[in-house]
Amino acid sequence: MSTISLITGASRGLGRNAALSIARAGGDVVLTYHRRDAEAADVVTEIQALGRKAVALQLDVGNVATFSHFAMQLQAALRETWGRERFDHLVNNAGHADVAPITDMQEAAFDTLVNVHFKGVFFLTQKLLPLLSDGGRIVNLSTGLTRISAPGWSAYAAVKGAVEVLTVYMAKELGPRGITVNAVAPGAIETDFFGGAVRDTPEYNRFFAGMTALGRVGVADDIGPMIAGLLGESHRWVNAQRIEVSGGQGI
């Protein structure tokens, strides 16, 4: 029986790459999207072309009030597509950037970062735990900016730091169910994240490449396969860890 992985924010970027990497490894996928329904449908088509099953569901990870309805939609999708009641892996990937110096950060922007990256991760995981199989996996996405600092990223890095602490507590509390929980912290990656800044702005790209041991910034293919591998049986003893995937950034 194939595994079923739920990945939030998988219509683009790292989430999309992780979904395709999981499918290439033989797993099925439930992916969520916020507004990009056409892109999500394309990812579903790509996964199906690999011979795997996939379903796309709409979800705003920053709106906790919608999580009960989403859980019901997920339960229906599991029954209709797989004839199952539970899924195996949760990847809390969805997110965005809002960058400003501490002196200029607006409260509304700060609250949105907290709601999406921390409160959403906490309460979505809580809501979905009854549907997550014992012996399953949870991966929370963090950032290399919790280890090295860059001006303007204080609020974003702080909420990701909270996710890293939450990861350890999740691993402790869910251990009796055999569920492992880890945080993956990418370095600078060429995707459309933050408006594609690292991908499309040569000075940003050169700056981060210059502080990376391997002499370049990352690409989505450096991250997605790693997440897929972490979900596999070969990594069953990796638990409660912050795993940086940055090519040696800032060492």
Side-chain angles (χ1 to χ4, degrees), residues 194-209:
F194 192 41
V198 174
R199 180 192 61 200
D200 301 333
T201 309
E203 55 266 36
Y204 282 1
N205 197 293
R206 286 193 297 268
F207 173 78
F208 286 112

Side-chain angles (χ1 to χ4, degrees), residues 4 9 18 40 46 48 61-62 77 80 83 118 126 134 146 148 171 199 201 203 207-209 214 226 237 249-250:
I4 304 171
E46 290 182 75
Q48 291 171 339
V61 296
E80 293 169 10
F118 182 52
Q126 180 194 71
D134 291 350
T146 61
I148 58 174
R199 180 192 61 200
T201 309
E203 55 266 36
F207 173 78
F208 286 112
L214 292 179
M226 184 272 168
W237 203 238
Q249 184 174 302

